[in-house]
Amino acid sequence: MRLLKEQDKRDSLNEVLIELSKSQDILKEPRGRASFFYTA
């Protein structure tokens, strides 16, 4: 049971890291940065 909870936490963290890396790719280009910050 404990291993299952740890695996769930790892999976959740992995999903968050993937989402964060996507936003980093957007920020590489000037147009991407503008659209990222000014659409909020």
Side-chain angles (χ1 to χ4, degrees):
M1 183 70 176
R2 182 177 176 174
L3 290 176
L4 182 60
K5 287 182 181 181
E6 288 180 10
Q7 186 62 42
D8 287 341
K9 288 180 181 180
R10 284 191 190 106
D11 292 342
S12 296
L13 178 60
N14 192 28
E15 290 174 13
V16 168
L17 292 174
I18 289 171
E19 288 300 315
L20 288 173
S21 70
K22 288 178 186 178
S23 67
Q24 292 297 311
D25 290 338
I26 291 171
L27 297 177
K28 288 180 183 177
E29 299 294 325
R31 179 170 278 155
R33 283 192 298 268
S35 67
F36 181 79
F37 287 109
Y38 294 114
T39 58

